[in-house]
Amino acid sequence: MKILLVTTPQSGMKKNRKAKIVRGLLPPLGLAYIAGVLEDNGHLVKILDAPFLGYDDRDIITYAENFNPDILGISIVTPASGEAFRLARSFKKRLPDKKIILGGPHPTCFPEETINAASEIDVVVAGEGEYVMLELVTAFSSDQDISGIKG
């Protein structure tokens, strides 16, 4: 399957596509770990670090339409939760047959609030996501039930 993993855009971040280093931003290591596990199991994964690239929802949706992933995974920190929910809605409007999975610190602390925030969200992952994502992707690729997947 094709998976696009995205760090949530953050309000107030100025676009700076030519930046070599942006102070205060860390590389999305959690998404890199997830991508590594998925790639080791034969999936095609791209990571889009929206804050670093200065991408807004429109940029992310355009990128997603060009890549045409089966799954969009969005990593959320609490200050950017509103942006993440808006992104999920926009993504589902443009690519309605694709799955949306949210994970990261915010869904880990507030899983029920997160799943109820937008009807467009298909799954919320709480806790470490590497092997949960692998199980979800495997289940989605063969239309299996996901209710027994822990996390």
Side-chain angles (χ1 to χ4, degrees), residues 28-148:
L29 293 178
L31 294 184
Y33 296 144
I34 291 168
V37 169
L38 293 172
E39 287 178 343
D40 284 348
N41 285 275
H43 300 285
L44 177 60
V45 184
K46 291 194 176 193
I47 296 173
L48 187 59
D49 189 358
F52 180 78
L53 295 170
Y55 277 22
D56 60 16
D57 288 2
R58 187 175 344 158
D59 299 320
I60 295 168
I61 297 301
T62 299
Y63 187 93
E65 287 176 326
N66 291 329
F67 180 54
N68 194 27
D70 300 297
I71 296 172
L72 173 68
I74 304 173
S75 178
I76 308 174
V77 294
T78 299
S81 59
E83 287 91 344
F85 303 144
R86 187 182 64 238
L87 175 60
R89 288 184 194 101
S90 298
F91 181 83
K92 197 63 116 171
K93 282 181 188 172
R94 299 291 284 273
L95 299 163
D97 60 327
K98 309 303 181 177
K99 299 291 185 188
I100 298 177
I101 301 172
L102 274 61
H106 184 79
T108 296
C109 293
F110 308 105
E112 289 183 32
E113 174 188 304
T114 304
I115 196 70
N116 293 323
S119 61
E120 295 82 2
I121 300 167
D122 295 297
V123 177
V124 168
V125 174
E128 300 299 323
E130 294 90 330
Y131 294 100
V132 175
M133 279 294 290
L134 179 59
E135 287 184 65
L136 287 168
V137 170
T138 301
F140 286 143
S141 67
S142 58
D143 292 323
Q144 295 175 356
D145 179 32
I146 63 168
S147 63

